[in-house]
Amino acid sequence: MLFKETKLKGVFVVEPEIITDERGFFACSWSALEFEKHGLNPRLMQCNISFNTKRGTLRGMHFQQQPHEEAKLVRCTRGAIYDVAIDLRPGSPSRYQWLAVELTPDNRSMLYLPEGFAHGYQALADETEIFYQISESYHLESARGLRWDDPRVGIEWPLPVTEISERDRGFSFL
C-alpha cells in the first residue's frame, strides 16, 4: 500500500500496490500493520456502504465529537465522488482548511481522515456507491455536522447540489 500525505497533516491518500499477472491483479486494500507503521489509527469498528442515486447528491459535513471521534478510510466502489475533509482540530495550523480528492473504482484510491475531521462528499455520477471503514461505532449523542456551504470554509463543490438531506441542510455554520 502507498501512503501519500496531503496538505492537511494526518490526512492521506492511500493507494493499493497492484500486482498483475495473466489472471488480472491482486492488491491489499487494508492492513492494520501498515496503518500502524504509518502512525495511523488501525482500529476498525464499523464498515458502511452509502448509495447515491443521482449525480450531484451531497452528503456532509459529518463528524463525531469526543469521546467518540472517528478516523475514516473512504473508497468509491461504483461511480465517482468528490471526497472532502475539513480540519476541525483545535490548535491545528490548518484548522478549518479543507481538501478534496476524486475517488473512483478505476483509480482505486482511498482517503484516510484521522479523528478531528469533518467528512462529506458529492456524487459525480448517477448510481454512486461508497464503502468506508470507521474506527468508532456510531453514537447518535456524539454525531454532529457543519454546513456544506459554510463561507468560512469555502468548499468549491464541482457540481450544483441536486439532492441533500434536511439534516445536512440544517447544520449550523462555524
Side-chain angles (χ1 to χ4, degrees), residues 74-137:
V74 183
R75 180 173 185 212
C76 182
T77 54
R78 182 176 177 184
I81 64 170
Y82 186 76
D83 204 27
V84 177
I86 303 172
D87 189 348
L88 300 178
R89 300 172 294 184
S92 170
S94 59
R95 189 170 193 194
Y96 304 137
Q97 291 180 27
W98 64 278
L99 70 78
V101 176
E102 186 171 326
L103 302 179
T104 70
D106 290 336
N107 71 22
R108 296 185 180 90
S109 293
M110 298 170 277
L111 186 65
Y112 173 84
L113 297 82
E115 295 86 344
F117 279 78
H119 174 253
Y121 63 87
Q122 186 174 42
L124 300 177
D126 290 341
E127 299 187 355
T128 292
E129 183 177 273
I130 291 62
F131 176 80
Y132 50 109
Q133 299 164 239
I134 306 169
S135 66
E136 182 60 60
S137 297

Side-chain angles (χ1 to χ4, degrees), residues 9-136:
K9 187 165 180 56
V11 176
F12 285 79
V13 173
V14 181
E15 298 175 353
E17 285 191 86
I18 307 293
I19 302 167
T20 60
D21 65 18
E22 65 281 353
R23 300 167 294 176
F25 77 86
F26 174 85
C28 177
S29 64
W30 169 252
S31 166
L33 292 176
E34 285 294 314
F35 274 69
E36 282 178 343
K37 192 166 40 170
H38 286 86
L40 308 181
N41 186 345
R43 184 176 179 194
L44 179 58
M45 290 294 292
Q46 184 171 316
C47 295
N48 296 334
I49 297 172
S50 174
F51 182 79
N52 305 278
T53 306
K54 295 181 183 175
R55 179 179 188 255
T57 297
L58 193 141
R59 294 181 188 250
M61 300 301 297
H62 305 143
F63 62 95
Q64 285 194 164
Q65 68 181 11
Q66 291 182 350
H68 303 291
E69 289 182 301
E70 315 166 295
K72 293 181 180 179
L73 181 65
V74 183
R75 180 173 185 212
C76 182
T77 54
R78 182 176 177 184
I81 64 170
Y82 186 76
D83 204 27
V84 177
I86 303 172
D87 189 348
L88 300 178
R89 300 172 294 184
S92 170
S94 59
R95 189 170 193 194
Y96 304 137
Q97 291 180 27
W98 64 278
L99 70 78
V101 176
E102 186 171 326
L103 302 179
T104 70
D106 290 336
N107 71 22
R108 296 185 180 90
S109 293
M110 298 170 277
L111 186 65
Y112 173 84
L113 297 82
E115 295 86 344
F117 279 78
H119 174 253
Y121 63 87
Q122 186 174 42
L124 300 177
D126 290 341
E127 299 187 355
T128 292
E129 183 177 273
I130 291 62
F131 176 80
Y132 50 109
Q133 299 164 239
I134 306 169
S135 66
E136 182 60 60

